Structures are given as structure tokens and as C-alpha cells.
Amino acid sequence: MRGLTAGERALAISVFANAIDLDRVRLAPHLPGRTAITLGRTVVFPADAPADFSKEPVSLQAWLIHELVHVWQFERSTTRTLASWAKTLFSGGYGPARRGYAYVHPFAWDRLNLEQQASVVEHAFLIRSGGGTTDPPLTLRDYAGLTPFPALA
């Protein structure tokens, strides 16, 4: 288990500013497969996860940002985050079609489930970083004011 590297911290700050206690975030590369799980301030990535996401392609940086949204969610309300996770799980949102991640623009942030919120921030980060996204096909301006993170506007 490790803390964030200086580069990962810079990435996180570029999105979340001081909304996350980055000193307490831990990354643990232990899972088989290609998925990550966040519980509280710990993100468990696959065993072959990068040693420093900030030195990787923007798509992997966006993966870290997605998981850090979950850290932010847990810091704000563990109960709401776990309830949203369970609702997404039991409604089939984690299956092959990944319904739990899809959202329609425009949206109300507080009405999105935990995965939709993380996807919104991930997509805005990809666009801002030049990585683009087609799911849905939006511009950075489309996200302005719709997340609690002004750096994405």
C-alpha cells in the first residue's frame, strides 16, 4: 500500500483542489483483473497497476481521477456512498453494458449515482486533458457548473 506520488497529487489537485484529504489516500495494487475498488480512502487497483499514474497515458490518469471521486464521496458521506453502490449493484449497473455508469446531459449532480458522478468527472478530465470522450459526446463547456469541482469548468 502506498500514498500518492507527487505527480498523482498534482493531478488530483488539478481536479479536486483541496476537496480531498490527499495525505490520507492510499493505493493498494492487489486485485486480479482490470477493475478497481474504492473503500473509504483506500483504492485497490489490479496488481499490475502503474507505480505512478501521472506518468501514464491520460486514459490511466482518468482512471485514477474516477477512483478519487469515490474517495471524495466516502469523505462526504459513507452511508450515501455505500447505499448508492448497493443500489447500482442490485439494479444491474455493474454488468457488461455498465448501465450504472451512463448519464444523460444535462444532469443534476445530486441525482447521479456514485458511478455516474465518477464518470462525469472522469470524462471532463479526459476532455480537459486532450484525451476526449465519446460517451456521451460533450465538450468541457458542457460540464461547466455541473460538478462540485470548479477546476473542470
Side-chain angles (χ1 to χ4, degrees):
M1 190 160 343
R2 66 175 181 84
L4 298 173
T5 66
E8 291 166 342
R9 289 177 69 87
L11 278 175
I13 290 167
S14 79
V15 173
F16 303 105
N18 62 355
I20 298 174
D21 184 353
L22 298 176
D23 292 332
R24 298 181 69 187
V25 173
R26 294 291 174 261
L27 306 183
H30 296 298
L31 284 178
R34 298 298 319 148
T35 59
I37 297 170
T38 300
L39 187 57
R41 292 181 179 103
T42 301
V43 182
V44 184
F45 281 104
D48 62 349
D52 186 342
F53 281 87
S54 70
K55 295 180 180 178
E56 298 296 327
V58 70
S59 61
L60 289 176
Q61 293 175 9
W63 188 18
L64 174 65
I65 296 300
H66 178 105
E67 296 306 322
L68 290 176
V69 172
H70 296 320
V71 170
W72 175 83
Q73 291 163 336
F74 271 104
E75 286 186 349
R76 301 213 6 123
S77 175
T78 299
T79 303
R80 183 185 187 287
T81 301
L82 290 173
S84 183
W85 173 82
K87 183 176 179 183
T88 303
L89 177 68
F90 294 118
S91 68
Y94 289 101
R98 299 170 45 108
R99 286 187 336 212
Y101 296 79
Y103 59 92
V104 176
H105 184 272
F107 51 82
W109 179 261
D110 290 335
R111 292 189 175 209
L112 299 175
N113 71 36
L114 80 161
E115 293 298 352
Q116 291 166 331
Q117 287 180 350
S119 292
V120 163
V121 175
E122 174 185 359
H123 294 161
F125 173 82
L126 280 166
I127 293 167
R128 189 188 75 183
S129 302
T133 182
T134 59
D135 183 26
L138 300 171
T139 67
L140 191 56
R141 176 177 278 168
D142 293 320
Y143 292 96
L146 296 178
T147 77
F149 311 112
L152 294 176

